[in-house]
């Protein structure tokens, strides 16, 4: 995949300085939720110490994604740097999306991942006129009682089976 992007950039005469490939596996688990479509348009934000991964869902599909690198040096200087960076980027992405979709603005923002200072982010984002909350474990995903779904949401989505009759995912089993 990366070679294809390198070749495309070269053919277009662009100086490619990096390629980001991110996972949106969480979409598989979210799309299985019966009430998901009614919550759209909705933004989900994965917070990590090194990045933010933001996706907007509408009509139960990802319609826009954005990846933001977090400056680790600045993050060390302030304990709320990631929270402020998350708020600033949610604000910008909401402005962009809502300006293009005035009749259907974003209703809700869900956060998952490494959620230090999440109260600050939730309070700030809720002031933008949308519901802001931590992503709950979907009812279609089961695990042991202490599972921290937010920390492993993309991994859970990667192995999530939408149709148990046609999809076989067992990392401990192999068959032909």
């Amino acid at each position: 995949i990366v070679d294809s992007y390198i070749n495309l950039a070269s053919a277009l005469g662009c100086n490619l300085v990096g390629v980001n490939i991110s996972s949106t596996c969480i979409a598989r688990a979210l799309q299985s939720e019966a009430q998901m479509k009614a919550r759209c348009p909705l933004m989900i934000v994965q917070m990590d110490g090194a990045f933010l991964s933001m996706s907007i869902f509408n009509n139960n599909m990802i319609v826009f994604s954005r990846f933001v690198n977090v400056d680790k040096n600045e993050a060390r200087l302030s304990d709320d740097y990631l929270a402020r960076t998350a708020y600033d980027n949610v604000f910008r992405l909401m402005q962009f999306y809502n300006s293009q979709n005035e009749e259907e603005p974003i209703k809700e923002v869900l956060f998952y991942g490494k959620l230090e200072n999440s109260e600050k982010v939730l309070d700030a984002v809720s002031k933008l006129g949308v519901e802001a909350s931590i992503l709950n474990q979907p009812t279609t995903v089961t695990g042991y009682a202490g599972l921290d779904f937010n920390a492993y949401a993309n991994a859970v989505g990667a192995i999530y089976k939408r149709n148990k009759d046609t999809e076989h995912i067992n990392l401990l089993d192999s068959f032909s």
Side-chain angles (χ1 to χ4, degrees), residues 79-80 83-84 87 116-126:
D79 63 341
D80 68 342
R84 286 185 293 116
Y87 169 79
E116 296 93 13
N117 293 322
S118 61
E119 307 83 30
K120 290 181 182 181
V121 176
L122 296 176
D123 288 342
V125 170
S126 65

Side-chain angles (χ1 to χ4, degrees), residues 25-35 135-164 169:
C25 294
I26 185 61
R28 293 182 75 185
L30 292 177
Q31 289 168 329
S32 69
E33 287 288 294
Q35 73 274 19
L135 177 65
N136 290 321
Q137 182 171 321
T139 57
T140 54
V141 174
T142 57
Y144 69 95
L147 174 68
D148 181 4
F149 177 77
N150 283 300
Y152 301 102
N154 273 320
V156 170
I159 62 172
Y160 183 77
K161 294 189 266 186
R162 290 186 228 191
N163 184 336
K164 292 177 183 177
I169 300 172

Side-chain angles (χ1 to χ4, degrees), residues 87-99:
Y87 169 79
D88 290 345
N89 283 280
V90 166
F91 176 74
R92 284 188 204 114
L93 191 52
M94 281 184 61
Q95 277 189 319
F96 169 75
Y97 181 84
N98 291 345
S99 72

